[in-house]
Amino acid sequence: MAATTAAAAAAVKIEWADMVIVSGVVVGAATFLFRKTLFGGKGAPELTIAQKAALVQAKTHVTSAPSEYNADKDFVFKMRKAGKNVVIFYGSQTGTAEDFATRLARDIQSASVRPLVLDPELYDWQCLAALADDELAIFVLATAGEGEPTDNMEAWFNALASDRETPDDSELPEFRQPEDKPDFDDAAPLQGVSYAMFGLGNNTYEQFNHHARVVDQRMLTLGAARIGERGEGDDDADIEEDFARWKEATLPLIRKYLGSSTPLQSGDDSAAAALPVPTWKILEMDAKKVWTKGEFYEEDAEPVASFDARHPYLAPVSAASELTPNADRHTLHVEVDLAGSGMRYESGDHIGVYPTNAEEEVDLLLGALGLLDKADMPIAVRAIDPFAAQQSLFPVDTTTYRAAFRHYLEIMGSVPRAQIKSLVEPFARSTAARNFLGPLADDKDAHAAVVTAGCLSLARLINAVHQVEQQAGVSAEEQLQLPVETAFELCPRLQARLYSISSSGKVNPERPSITAVVLQYDAKVEGASSAKMGARRCGVATNYLLGAVRYLRGDRAETLAPDHQALRAGCLLSESPSLPGAADASVVEAVHDRKDHTLQSFTLQPAPGSACDNGQRALTLPVFIRRSLFRLPADPSTPIIMIGPGTGLAPMRGFIQERAQLAREQGAGQEMGTALLFFGARTEAKDYMYREELEAHFSEIQKAAPQSQIITAFSRDQPQKIYVQHRLAEHAELVYQTLLCGQQKLGGPPRAHVYVCGDAKSMAKDVSKALASLIAERE
């Protein structure tokens, strides 16, 4: 029966793509011996970076590269000019892989291991073959969507694996042949190249870590040699611990390969006692200095040709509301106006939103770092290493401490165990602080119970240490003082949040909408006796969107936290040098939450000259569109089965809008495939979002496809909880017949498309089992 079930289920075309939880550059001309001496080969005399750079610049760059060679994209040339022997490439979609790559570079840095972190999108993959046997490439690659490479690794992935279906059958890439490799083998172009590999993925997706696995296999097939085992991180479990284990096993191998005579093992007490070498330097400026304004663009920068994740569009908010005002949690509907941007989207695509951090959290961190008295001082943050790929930490030349923590850095996330070990614990001067931080840095269970479960952000972690030190009678002068440069390293870049667009690109081409549940829950810390150690966990982006909704509808603060009364008074207008528009005032809105009694205030950006649908106020959000594989079938006669409980309904709503419009245009005489929507929520009365709209759309669809219908599952409307998978079983015959629609006529497999969006960890697995079961019972 199991074999029958598996075979039957395989016949169904289920498009799991984008199953989401909505609330995501040789030097040559000289001899080989000269090159080895010049660039620090094994046993070669060590030259200073300046000496290496001068020698490199005096030589002609010779290679067998074709005429389109671009020195700016030659990462090997860049490495050698900078005196580096390790290049770390990251394939990152949400910033995690980039953060891991940066942290890895810091952890392996030594006299013999000199890393350089690069974005592969800016460099030529054909230069891989030029890496020598005393150089190393490290790949930190996340898997996007359903087994896809990240956007910045797509060109490299396509070159290495031209056949995505069967990568082993891919064509042999044409690498650049270096002059110093006379034994270059066209059949094994990467022979002599060594690399290490760590992948990031989520095992709730079928193609777990597919990106890293394919690149790894292709590198081996092309003759490269891997150092250590390929690491695989699972974001559904504990990706930080996965990364730590791989790093602990691989770093000694890397150091040994590169000839390190003083390997630094994990847990070395002398290493722990040493202060970390900073990556950034901070230049504080006169307060009267005129600094560059603009959150994402330089003030005098040329206009961008198109908008993307690096150049988001400041889109006016055209509509914003709460879909379930009587429910016990906030569910939001937000529309933005793309008119004039040149951006378009299709049903199933994603919209990325860059949020800001809550003002309370910004102030909390400023206070913990002792920066409240100069929070608005103009600063510039520059790389200490003149050859670092990233010379400026922020996308603007000058900002302020407050703006940095408000707009550019992730300050709400729990501090990883490895980060506590390497960047916080070394600054602990008191015994009390060391006793508190030690277990959090060394014991993953203690870290999980206190930091992860308690959602201890950097600010709350510092305050927790200060609390312990105060209780132990440690003087203020001896308490933990974390340099702000270290804080900048501890906080990754603030990333855009991706949402499945909940509208049709054909029906509303310039007004994509977002449907999201606001993330709020109480964090618990074992043994905590102060609210400073435990916090109410609030999602950065969804609460930012909630703040926008409240501002647009005119909410006002009913109560204010005592330590913010002098700073916030209902609606505060202030100049914000980090925001787009030199003269535009930003709006800080503090509002009492009538549902959960929490206070969240955000800096919001007005949109002069535009108006929301209610005609009262206007705001802009920095957004961009990301393409998806989650698509309606091209043939409208193909049946579709949509399963989207909660805000998993979002992309389905766009599909439904599109089918309804098509039904109106074609009329009742045109063939259209059955559309089934399985929607689930907590209660019908409070949580049935878009009800009237959905019912109206289905009344149109039914004229062309009579069996189309909405099938609901409200889990809390009866003693026994009922979910969408239960409704699938109850309507097994209808689902089965919809799946088989057209099979007899075409003499082939089922043509129906099944779409699932929502909780990939539990719901999607239960839905898969239900579909397999109902098919197996009828085969």
Side-chain angles (χ1 to χ4, degrees), residues 10-29:
V12 183
K13 182 175 181 181
I14 300 178
E15 298 195 0
W16 296 108
D18 299 272
M19 186 188 302
V20 293
I21 304 175
V22 184
S23 254
V25 133
V26 184
V27 139

PDB file of all heavy atoms in Angstrom, residues 10-29:
ATOM      1  N   ALA A  10       2.845  10.701  -6.593  1.00  0.00           N
ATOM      2  CA  ALA A  10       3.797  11.265  -7.546  1.00  0.00           C
ATOM      3  C   ALA A  10       3.126  11.707  -8.824  1.00  0.00           C
ATOM      4  O   ALA A  10       3.632  12.551  -9.561  1.00  0.00           O
ATOM      5  CB  ALA A  10       4.890  10.247  -7.864  1.00  0.00           C
ATOM      6  N   ALA A  11       1.960  11.118  -9.110  1.00  0.00           N
ATOM      7  CA  ALA A  11       1.251  11.476 -10.335  1.00  0.00           C
ATOM      8  C   ALA A  11       0.607  12.839 -10.237  1.00  0.00           C
ATOM      9  O   ALA A  11       0.243  13.448 -11.226  1.00  0.00           O
ATOM     10  CB  ALA A  11       0.178  10.432 -10.645  1.00  0.00           C
ATOM     11  N   VAL A  12       0.449  13.353  -9.014  1.00  0.00           N
ATOM     12  CA  VAL A  12      -0.195  14.638  -8.824  1.00  0.00           C
ATOM     13  C   VAL A  12       0.853  15.744  -8.905  1.00  0.00           C
ATOM     14  O   VAL A  12       1.898  15.666  -8.278  1.00  0.00           O
ATOM     15  CB  VAL A  12      -0.866  14.710  -7.431  1.00  0.00           C
ATOM     16  CG1 VAL A  12      -1.604  16.036  -7.286  1.00  0.00           C
ATOM     17  CG2 VAL A  12      -1.815  13.548  -7.271  1.00  0.00           C
ATOM     18  N   LYS A  13       0.594  16.748  -9.706  1.00  0.00           N
ATOM     19  CA  LYS A  13       1.538  17.854  -9.826  1.00  0.00           C
ATOM     20  C   LYS A  13       1.296  18.840  -8.696  1.00  0.00           C
ATOM     21  O   LYS A  13       0.380  19.649  -8.719  1.00  0.00           O
ATOM     22  CB  LYS A  13       1.390  18.565 -11.171  1.00  0.00           C
ATOM     23  CG  LYS A  13       2.414  19.697 -11.324  1.00  0.00           C
ATOM     24  CD  LYS A  13       2.344  20.326 -12.690  1.00  0.00           C
ATOM     25  CE  LYS A  13       3.402  21.419 -12.804  1.00  0.00           C
ATOM     26  NZ  LYS A  13       3.372  22.083 -14.100  1.00  0.00           N
ATOM     27  N   ILE A  14       2.102  18.738  -7.654  1.00  0.00           N
ATOM     28  CA  ILE A  14       1.969  19.638  -6.514  1.00  0.00           C
ATOM     29  C   ILE A  14       3.089  20.657  -6.582  1.00  0.00           C
ATOM     30  O   ILE A  14       4.262  20.307  -6.551  1.00  0.00           O
ATOM     31  CB  ILE A  14       2.040  18.869  -5.185  1.00  0.00           C
ATOM     32  CG1 ILE A  14       0.910  17.832  -5.128  1.00  0.00           C
ATOM     33  CG2 ILE A  14       1.952  19.822  -4.006  1.00  0.00           C
ATOM     34  CD1 ILE A  14       0.936  17.003  -3.883  1.00  0.00           C
ATOM     35  N   GLU A  15       2.768  21.916  -6.673  1.00  0.00           N
ATOM     36  CA  GLU A  15       3.771  22.956  -6.769  1.00  0.00           C
ATOM     37  C   GLU A  15       4.053  23.500  -5.376  1.00  0.00           C
ATOM     38  O   GLU A  15       3.336  24.346  -4.861  1.00  0.00           O
ATOM     39  CB  GLU A  15       3.299  24.073  -7.709  1.00  0.00           C
ATOM     40  CG  GLU A  15       3.095  23.564  -9.114  1.00  0.00           C
ATOM     41  CD  GLU A  15       2.999  24.679 -10.111  1.00  0.00           C
ATOM     42  OE1 GLU A  15       3.092  25.853  -9.717  1.00  0.00           O
ATOM     43  OE2 GLU A  15       2.820  24.373 -11.276  1.00  0.00           O
ATOM     44  N   TRP A  16       5.082  22.959  -4.748  1.00  0.00           N
ATOM     45  CA  TRP A  16       5.405  23.369  -3.384  1.00  0.00           C
ATOM     46  C   TRP A  16       6.235  24.653  -3.350  1.00  0.00           C
ATOM     47  O   TRP A  16       6.571  25.140  -2.289  1.00  0.00           O
ATOM     48  CB  TRP A  16       6.213  22.271  -2.685  1.00  0.00           C
ATOM     49  CG  TRP A  16       5.459  20.997  -2.512  1.00  0.00           C
ATOM     50  CD1 TRP A  16       5.664  19.842  -3.185  1.00  0.00           C
ATOM     51  CD2 TRP A  16       4.375  20.754  -1.615  1.00  0.00           C
ATOM     52  NE1 TRP A  16       4.786  18.884  -2.756  1.00  0.00           N
ATOM     53  CE2 TRP A  16       3.981  19.412  -1.801  1.00  0.00           C
ATOM     54  CE3 TRP A  16       3.703  21.531  -0.679  1.00  0.00           C
ATOM     55  CZ2 TRP A  16       2.963  18.835  -1.077  1.00  0.00           C
ATOM     56  CZ3 TRP A  16       2.681  20.949   0.037  1.00  0.00           C
ATOM     57  CH2 TRP A  16       2.319  19.618  -0.172  1.00  0.00           C
ATOM     58  N   ALA A  17       6.641  25.161  -4.536  1.00  0.00           N
ATOM     59  CA  ALA A  17       7.524  26.324  -4.573  1.00  0.00           C
ATOM     60  C   ALA A  17       6.943  27.472  -3.768  1.00  0.00           C
ATOM     61  O   ALA A  17       5.745  27.719  -3.772  1.00  0.00           O
ATOM     62  CB  ALA A  17       7.733  26.773  -6.015  1.00  0.00           C
ATOM     63  N   ASP A  18       7.841  28.146  -3.058  1.00  0.00           N
ATOM     64  CA  ASP A  18       7.452  29.308  -2.261  1.00  0.00           C
ATOM     65  C   ASP A  18       6.419  28.983  -1.207  1.00  0.00           C
ATOM     66  O   ASP A  18       5.550  29.786  -0.889  1.00  0.00           O
ATOM     67  CB  ASP A  18       6.928  30.447  -3.152  1.00  0.00           C
ATOM     68  CG  ASP A  18       7.973  30.912  -4.122  1.00  0.00           C
ATOM     69  OD1 ASP A  18       8.744  31.791  -3.768  1.00  0.00           O
ATOM     70  OD2 ASP A  18       7.995  30.356  -5.228  1.00  0.00           O
ATOM     71  N   MET A  19       6.500  27.783  -0.675  1.00  0.00           N
ATOM     72  CA  MET A  19       5.686  27.478   0.484  1.00  0.00           C
ATOM     73  C   MET A  19       6.261  28.294   1.636  1.00  0.00           C
ATOM     74  O   MET A  19       7.393  28.110   2.042  1.00  0.00           O
ATOM     75  CB  MET A  19       5.785  25.998   0.792  1.00  0.00           C
ATOM     76  CG  MET A  19       4.852  25.549   1.890  1.00  0.00           C
ATOM     77  SD  MET A  19       5.229  23.853   2.294  1.00  0.00           S
ATOM     78  CE  MET A  19       4.984  23.089   0.713  1.00  0.00           C
ATOM     79  N   VAL A  20       5.536  29.259   2.118  1.00  0.00           N
ATOM     80  CA  VAL A  20       6.096  30.190   3.082  1.00  0.00           C
ATOM     81  C   VAL A  20       5.181  30.345   4.267  1.00  0.00           C
ATOM     82  O   VAL A  20       3.994  30.016   4.223  1.00  0.00           O
ATOM     83  CB  VAL A  20       6.303  31.590   2.452  1.00  0.00           C
ATOM     84  CG1 VAL A  20       7.368  31.544   1.389  1.00  0.00           C
ATOM     85  CG2 VAL A  20       5.005  32.126   1.880  1.00  0.00           C
ATOM     86  N   ILE A  21       5.720  30.823   5.359  1.00  0.00           N
ATOM     87  CA  ILE A  21       4.919  31.246   6.488  1.00  0.00           C
ATOM     88  C   ILE A  21       4.859  32.761   6.419  1.00  0.00           C
ATOM     89  O   ILE A  21       5.869  33.433   6.569  1.00  0.00           O
ATOM     90  CB  ILE A  21       5.537  30.778   7.811  1.00  0.00           C
ATOM     91  CG1 ILE A  21       5.714  29.258   7.794  1.00  0.00           C
ATOM     92  CG2 ILE A  21       4.688  31.198   8.993  1.00  0.00           C
ATOM     93  CD1 ILE A  21       6.428  28.715   8.996  1.00  0.00           C
ATOM     94  N   VAL A  22       3.656  33.314   6.181  1.00  0.00           N
ATOM     95  CA  VAL A  22       3.538  34.753   5.954  1.00  0.00           C
ATOM     96  C   VAL A  22       3.238  35.386   7.324  1.00  0.00           C
ATOM     97  O   VAL A  22       2.137  35.321   7.801  1.00  0.00           O
ATOM     98  CB  VAL A  22       2.407  35.022   4.960  1.00  0.00           C
ATOM     99  CG1 VAL A  22       2.339  36.495   4.632  1.00  0.00           C
ATOM    100  CG2 VAL A  22       2.595  34.211   3.703  1.00  0.00           C
ATOM    101  N   SER A  23       3.267  35.836   8.457  1.00  0.00           N
ATOM    102  CA  SER A  23       2.725  36.313   9.759  1.00  0.00           C
ATOM    103  C   SER A  23       1.811  36.769  10.532  1.00  0.00           C
ATOM    104  O   SER A  23       1.088  35.797  10.535  1.00  0.00           O
ATOM    105  CB  SER A  23       3.203  35.570  10.835  1.00  0.00           C
ATOM    106  OG  SER A  23       2.526  34.727  11.472  1.00  0.00           O
ATOM    107  N   GLY A  24       9.483  35.404   5.459  1.00  0.00           N
ATOM    108  CA  GLY A  24      10.984  34.915   4.709  1.00  0.00           C
ATOM    109  C   GLY A  24      12.521  35.721   4.982  1.00  0.00           C
ATOM    110  O   GLY A  24      10.677  34.449   5.878  1.00  0.00           O
ATOM    111  N   VAL A  25      36.366  37.795  -8.919  1.00  0.00           N
ATOM    112  CA  VAL A  25      37.670  38.350  -9.882  1.00  0.00           C
ATOM    113  C   VAL A  25      39.599  37.284 -10.280  1.00  0.00           C
ATOM    114  O   VAL A  25      39.588  36.242  -8.550  1.00  0.00           O
ATOM    115  CB  VAL A  25      38.138  39.143  -8.571  1.00  0.00           C
ATOM    116  CG1 VAL A  25      39.201  39.225  -8.070  1.00  0.00           C
ATOM    117  CG2 VAL A  25      37.854  39.685  -8.684  1.00  0.00           C
ATOM    118  N   VAL A  26      45.199  36.781 -13.399  1.00  0.00           N
ATOM    119  CA  VAL A  26      45.701  36.030 -12.317  1.00  0.00           C
ATOM    120  C   VAL A  26      46.933  36.755 -12.424  1.00  0.00           C
ATOM    121  O   VAL A  26      47.265  37.340 -13.430  1.00  0.00           O
ATOM    122  CB  VAL A  26      45.513  34.734 -12.980  1.00  0.00           C
ATOM    123  CG1 VAL A  26      45.840  33.600 -12.111  1.00  0.00           C
ATOM    124  CG2 VAL A  26      44.108  34.646 -13.522  1.00  0.00           C
ATOM    125  N   VAL A  27      47.242  36.962 -11.381  1.00  0.00           N
ATOM    126  CA  VAL A  27      48.418  37.702 -11.742  1.00  0.00           C
ATOM    127  C   VAL A  27      49.311  36.751 -12.482  1.00  0.00           C
ATOM    128  O   VAL A  27      49.497  35.632 -12.093  1.00  0.00           O
ATOM    129  CB  VAL A  27      49.065  38.291 -10.487  1.00  0.00           C
ATOM    130  CG1 VAL A  27      50.552  38.177 -10.526  1.00  0.00           C
ATOM    131  CG2 VAL A  27      48.645  39.724 -10.348  1.00  0.00           C
ATOM    132  N   GLY A  28      49.999  37.255 -13.627  1.00  0.00           N
ATOM    133  CA  GLY A  28      50.877  36.418 -14.434  1.00  0.00           C
ATOM    134  C   GLY A  28      52.066  37.234 -14.867  1.00  0.00           C
ATOM    135  O   GLY A  28      52.478  38.130 -14.182  1.00  0.00           O
ATOM    136  N   ALA A  29      52.620  36.961 -16.059  1.00  0.00           N
ATOM    137  CA  ALA A  29      53.781  37.625 -16.651  1.00  0.00           C
ATOM    138  C   ALA A  29      55.066  37.186 -15.992  1.00  0.00           C
ATOM    139  O   ALA A  29      56.115  37.292 -16.587  1.00  0.00           O
ATOM    140  CB  ALA A  29      53.659  39.136 -16.586  1.00  0.00           C
TER     141      ALA A  29
END
